[in-house]
Amino acid sequence: MKTLRILVIHGPNLNLLGTREPGHYGHTTLADINQSLINLGDSLGLEVTTYQSNHEGELVDRIHQAASESIDGIVINPAAYTHTSIALRDAMLATNIPFIEVHLSNIHRREDFRHRSMLADAATGIVAGFGGTSYLLALRGLQDHLYQITEQNRGE
Ligand code: CA2
């Protein structure tokens, strides 16, 4: 079976993880999260690439690039752009790559403006509230989903 290629995208300010606001976002750094994703990917036979940007247009460009790189699935924490960005939503819909939306915190336990996501209804699934573990759960769920749709296509 072919190795699945997964892109993990982190939105604005997530480069600060582990250095500020540990009450909301914990002590784990983004480098720690990326390393644990790569380690889990290795053990599951997935090729995991990670990317972070603080700029909406750069995130859109990276999503477009994913389509030309034959990325099979995306794990994305759009951070604050979750709640505002039609551009990120349109980019995900345009590339048509299955994706899981991830949040470190449970956005539904926080301010009202964080309850709305511009991407969630286009996502395969959402994982929120488990800190860095949210990403690992999302990676497992995405792998399972990608296997299921491959099996479905074989059966057709
Ligand atoms: O819980 C999440 O993962 C969020 O996507 C994080 C975003 C927030 O705007 C979303 O509502 C929920 C914020 C990321 C900011 O990350 C920081 C990390 C350390 C210090 C300051 C900000």
Side-chain angles (χ1 to χ4, degrees):
M1 198 179 283
K2 121 179 179 356
T3 302
L4 294 174
R5 306 183 73 196
I6 309 296
L7 174 65
V8 180
I9 299 179
H10 308 283
N13 296 309
L14 289 166
N15 55 312
L16 299 177
L17 275 180
T19 64
R20 317 233 171 95
E21 296 190 46
H24 267 130
Y25 302 117
H27 292 280
T28 310
T29 66
L30 193 62
D32 294 333
I33 289 173
N34 286 339
Q35 191 55 58
S36 40
L37 281 162
I38 287 165
N39 293 346
L40 178 63
D42 284 348
S43 71
L44 297 174
L46 304 170
E47 185 186 314
V48 175
T49 306
T50 63
Y51 177 78
Q52 190 273 332
S53 175
N54 294 322
H55 305 277
E56 190 174 19
E58 287 181 2
L59 293 163
V60 169
D61 286 345
R62 189 66 190 86
I63 293 163
H64 293 177
Q65 196 188 319
S68 62
E69 291 169 343
S70 330
I71 293 288
D72 297 292
I74 295 177
V75 171
I76 182 166
N77 183 348
Y81 289 140
T82 306
H83 318 298
T84 61
S85 181
I86 297 169
L88 281 185
R89 174 192 176 81
D90 286 348
M92 295 308 305
L93 289 172
T95 55
N96 204 25
I97 298 173
F99 75 95
I100 311 287
E101 178 180 320
V102 166
H103 298 285
L104 298 155
S105 60
N106 178 352
I107 53 176
H108 297 287
R109 283 182 72 172
R110 301 184 63 190
E111 305 96 319
D112 285 354
F113 69 85
R114 295 188 203 275
H115 297 177
R116 186 182 68 157
S117 165
M118 303 305 287
L119 289 89
D121 66 300
T124 297
I126 306 156
V127 184
F130 297 96
T133 304
S134 291
Y135 286 92
L136 302 177
L137 295 169
L139 187 62
R140 287 182 183 276
L142 181 57
Q143 180 193 37
D144 194 61
H145 173 73
L146 293 172
Y147 282 153
Q148 277 179 38
I149 57 177
T150 310
E151 285 303 309
Q152 267 164 28
N153 290 340
R154 272 217 203 101
E156 275 166 10

